[in-house]
Amino acid sequence: MRLSGKRIILGISGSIAAYKSASICRLLISEGAEVQVVMTESAIQFITPLTLSVLSKNPVATGMVRPDQTWENHIEKGLWADLILVAPASAQTLSAFAEGRCENLLQAVFLSARCPVMVAPAMDHDMYLHPSTSHNLAVLKSRGTLVLDTVTGELASGLYGEGRMQEPETILERVCLHFSNRNLPLSGKTILLSAGPTREPIDPVRFISNHSTGKMGIALAQALQESGAHVILVAGPLQRPVPKGIEHVPVETAAQMLMECLRYFPGCDGAIMSAAVADYRPVNPHDQKLKKNGAELNLNLEPTADILATLGQQKSANQVLVGFALETENELEHAQSKLERKNLDLIVLNSLRDVGAGFGTDTNKVTLLFRDKKTVEFPLLSKDETARRIVDSFIPLINANA
Ligand code: C5P
């Protein structure tokens, strides 16, 4: 049991996602955690305290004063917990946390806490995207609150968009990761990783793509996670399953990949761009399937945005950026100039001339080039081992910025 002996306060605020808090409570208990539940008045409208007290095997606290007129000691609760998990965290609760308000028991417990606090936001699309909410989340992150991302999907309002709370199983994984990762070299770090190919539509049934399978990207995701990082994987269609606990943001086109990378990069400590992004896309994809008529067909292509170079322009002094280069001639020279042009800290060079390296194989042979022109050449290794060696070289760069 991964949470044996861990004391967790499960805070529940007023959102329809509160019905999932019962599952979260059960999952925490099944991993051996001791759970005390604190609910806001509006959470009680969505799920009964009785459900949570049966599941947590503890009385549920809902106000500053108990029904028997005794005082609910919020300070004691704040000191008792190893982690406060607020799931769902409504827009209202996040705003109160960011402003330091103390209008209910959950807010008082938050202010008294000496332990880490993790919040799983849940709200409607427009509320989530409102600048006030973004600001509140940024304030909380800057003060060390662990903010889980929301997922895109169907919302209770009937709208489709961002703001759905992460599923209970994912939240459990994040809690377990939080406790298991504390002493690893990338503990507390969030790393953005791009992987796989992109697909650039020609018409509704055809696209331009490449041979990338995403194997190297998945191996990197795993190596980063094993080193304690929280990994956000923005990936085109992958031919391998994404390991548990990795935040997977699926995309298809280079434009979508750029948009998602730009969204997540500011909140990350570093980024590794291993995706094989299409360099060109059809100018005007056809709405209908192109019919063959026996004549020649010309496709007009335009360049896609260079995601890595865009991140290189936006990179702050304490972020680390790693790119890949697949070269067929003058490899070292081309890779070094790419590193400088795209403002990278490290570039991983693959040569298609090496047997066993490149797309689809289980092995790879890479050379690392650093900003100070130092190079490190690895022999032919499995992609998993190559990924571990890349991450081993990445860790000192991240920690140099800490
Ligand atoms: O310039 P070149 O395509 O060789 O650079 C390869 C590196 O740039 C890889 O890290 C790849 O993920 C990234 N890249 C990108 N966006 C593009 C093209 C490449 O992020 N449009």
Side-chain angles (χ1 to χ4, degrees):
M1 291 205 287
R2 294 176 293 169
L3 298 175
S4 255
K6 297 290 182 265
R7 296 163 157 185
I8 299 177
I9 288 184
L10 175 60
I12 308 177
S13 60
S15 151
I16 178 62
Y19 81 90
K20 295 186 180 172
S21 303
S23 302
I24 297 172
C25 182
R26 249 188 69 81
L27 290 169
L28 294 172
I29 298 272
S30 69
E31 288 287 352
E34 200 181 328
V35 179
Q36 285 198 28
V37 177
V38 175
M39 296 175 74
T40 64
E41 283 295 326
S42 37
I44 297 170
Q45 310 290 321
F46 290 100
I47 184 165
T48 74
L50 180 63
T51 306
L52 275 306
S53 79
V54 171
L55 292 172
S56 68
K57 305 183 180 71
N58 270 319
V60 170
T62 55
M64 303 287 239
V65 182
R66 296 193 188 114
D68 66 359
Q69 294 302 305
T70 56
W71 178 49
E72 193 66 73
N73 190 336
H74 53 276
I75 298 177
E76 217 167 62
K77 282 198 185 303
L79 292 177
W80 173 84
D82 297 312
L83 175 74
I84 296 178
L85 168 67
V86 183
S90 64
Q92 150 101 348
T93 289
L94 291 169
S95 137
F97 284 177
E99 285 176 22
R101 296 209 302 274
C102 192
E103 292 161 355
N104 63 28
L105 180 67
L106 183 58
Q107 292 165 22
V109 171
F110 174 80
L111 284 178
S112 325
R114 291 204 189 156
C115 63
V117 178
M118 186 183 282
V119 295
M123 66 200 75
D124 211 64
H125 177 81
D126 297 305
M127 294 169 79
Y128 183 70
L129 294 183
H130 195 283
S132 314
T133 307
S134 310
H135 172 77
N136 291 334
L137 291 173
V139 167
L140 289 171
K141 276 185 191 170
S142 71
R143 294 182 187 151
T145 301
L146 305 162
V147 179
L148 302 190
D149 287 303
T150 60
V151 282
T152 302
E154 204 179 306
L155 299 161
S157 60
L159 293 174
Y160 183 90
E162 275 185 61
R164 259 176 80 103
M165 187 173 77
Q166 296 275 2
E167 289 305 322
E169 291 73 14
T170 312
I171 294 176
L172 175 74
E173 289 309 315
R174 289 299 303 276
V175 170
C176 291
L177 205 65
H178 166 77
F179 284 113
S180 67
N181 275 353
R182 280 185 156 179
N183 299 317
L184 294 172
L186 293 178
S187 294
K189 305 288 182 201
T190 301
I191 308 300
L192 175 67
L193 176 65
S194 79
T198 64
R199 288 179 176 173
E200 310 302 327
I202 297 171
D203 66 18
V205 292
R206 305 181 181 96
F207 52 78
I208 296 178
S209 192
N210 56 60
H211 290 297
S212 169
T213 58
K215 272 185 195 168
M216 194 62 222
I218 295 280
L220 279 165
Q222 221 149 5
L224 286 166
Q225 191 182 40
E226 281 162 14
S227 299
H230 169 55
V231 184
I232 302 175
L233 175 68
V234 177
L238 297 168
Q239 292 179 30
R240 289 229 158 153
V242 175
K244 254 184 166 182
I246 284 169
E247 193 174 332
H248 180 201
V249 182
V251 295
E252 291 247 331
T253 64
Q256 290 165 354
M257 188 174 273
L258 173 70
M259 193 180 76
E260 296 299 342
C261 287
L262 286 176
R263 185 203 314 274
Y264 288 104
F265 188 54
C268 291
D269 299 281
I272 303 181
M273 297 284 105
S274 72
V277 185
D279 290 326
Y280 289 91
R281 66 175 176 206
V283 175
N284 285 316
H286 292 259
D287 291 340
Q288 305 298 329
K289 186 181 167 197
L290 278 170
K291 296 263 182 259
K292 61 171 175 260
N293 61 10
E296 275 187 10
L297 174 69
N298 288 311
L299 276 179
N300 279 333
L301 303 179
E302 63 184 357
T304 56
D306 190 318
I307 303 164
L308 182 60
T310 311
L311 298 189
Q313 283 163 6
Q314 303 205 350
K315 174 168 94 101
S316 68
N318 50 10
Q319 287 177 308
V320 176
L321 187 57
V322 180
F324 274 67
L326 181 67
E327 304 291 342
T328 53
E329 51 171 356
N330 296 335
E331 290 95 338
L332 282 173
E333 206 179 300
H334 282 156
Q336 189 70 42
S337 89
K338 209 167 273 183
L339 177 139
E340 281 158 31
R341 197 160 20 93
K342 300 195 188 191
N343 193 21
L344 312 181
D345 299 282
L346 167 63
I347 193 156
V348 182
L349 168 65
N350 282 281
S351 171
L352 268 191
R353 284 204 265 189
D354 291 315
V355 180
F359 292 126
T361 59
D362 285 322
T363 50
N364 208 355
K365 185 170 184 307
V366 303
T367 303
L368 307 189
L369 282 83
F370 294 80
R371 241 186 144 80
D372 60 5
K373 301 206 162 66
K374 189 179 88 174
T375 61
V376 179
E377 200 178 330
F378 296 136
L380 186 70
L381 298 166
S382 69
K383 282 194 170 160
D384 289 340
E385 183 55 27
T386 305
R388 278 193 285 273
R389 303 253 183 131
I390 294 170
V391 170
D392 285 346
S393 295
F394 176 69
I395 290 168
L397 300 178
I398 285 276
N399 288 332
N401 287 338

